[in-house]
């Protein structure tokens, strides 16, 4: 009678450990992507709230707004977005997240806030989604009052 393990037994054990590791890493990646989606939704809400707050405070005498693109959002000052303005602040989305849909009043890709009231004429929704699984989304609603919230 031999003591120890045969080559086949060792290979079966290595295969089982490999399968379990792949399943574990796959689940961990999904959890990380979901967390990135939630964090990016909070980032968008924060940038919107900051722009609205700066407008209400009449910071430097300007109104402020936020411009939306597929992989980034840009906070700007003034009545409209200008890509080359040195005062723009760009915030990139996580590599696993993108802006899947922008449905704002007027069909544009930016929200600007009115002085004194903080209201906006560009109310609507913004949908962030995972690139790998577009069914996982966060919808941000911008109300006419300028206040925004996420689902």
């Amino acid at each position: 009678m031999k003591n120890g393990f045969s080559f086949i037994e060792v290979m079966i054990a290595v295969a089982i450990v490999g399968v379990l590791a792949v399943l574990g890493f796959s689940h961990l990646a999904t959890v990380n992507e979901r967390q990135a989606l939630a964090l990016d939704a909070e980032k968008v809400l924060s940038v919107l709230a900051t722009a609205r707050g700066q407008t209400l405070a009449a910071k430097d005498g300007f109104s402020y707004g936020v411009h939306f693109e597929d992989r980034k959002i840009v906070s700007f000052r003034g009545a409209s977005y200008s890509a080359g303005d040195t005062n723009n602040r760009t915030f990139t989305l996580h590599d696993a997240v993108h802006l899947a849909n922008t449905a704002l009043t007027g069909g544009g890709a930016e929200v600007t806030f009115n002085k004194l009231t903080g209201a906006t004429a560009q109310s609507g929704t913004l949908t962030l989604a995972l690139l790998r699984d577009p069914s996982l989304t966060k919808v941000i609603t911008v109300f006419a009052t300028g206040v925004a919230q996420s689902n």
Side-chain angles (χ1 to χ4, degrees):
M1 188 174 205
K2 294 182 181 179
N3 289 333
F5 298 104
S6 71
F7 178 73
I8 292 176
E9 291 171 327
V10 170
M11 292 308 295
I12 290 172
V14 167
I16 290 171
V17 169
V19 167
L20 291 175
V22 167
L23 291 175
F25 286 126
S26 172
H27 178 70
L28 183 60
T30 301
V31 169
N32 285 342
E33 287 177 349
R34 287 177 189 223
Q35 184 177 20
L37 180 62
L39 289 173
D40 277 353
E42 290 299 321
K43 182 189 302 184
V44 171
L45 288 172
S46 176
V47 172
L48 284 164
T50 299
R52 184 173 186 262
Q54 289 173 325
T55 300
L56 286 169
K59 181 180 177 191
D60 300 326
F62 290 95
S63 61
Y64 290 80
V66 182
H67 173 76
F68 301 96
E69 296 182 19
D70 181 54
R71 306 281 298 131
K72 66 182 179 181
I73 56 176
V74 182
S75 175
F76 63 91
R77 72 179 197 178
S80 62
Y81 172 69
S82 172
D85 191 331
T86 59
N87 294 298
N88 291 348
R89 293 187 58 212
T90 301
F91 302 88
T92 56
L93 298 175
H94 187 276
D95 291 340
V97 178
H98 76 115
L99 183 61
N101 187 37
T102 304
L104 300 172
T105 303
E110 58 194 50
V111 173
T112 56
F113 299 98
N114 298 325
K115 291 182 182 179
L116 300 177
T117 66
T120 183
Q122 297 88 19
S123 60
T125 60
L126 308 160
T127 304
L128 297 176
L130 291 180
L131 289 167
R132 204 167 62 143
D133 185 358
S135 68
L136 293 175
T137 63
K138 283 285 189 180
V139 178
I140 297 166
T141 303
V142 180
F143 298 99
T145 61
V147 174
Q149 73 178 27
S150 176
N151 66 341

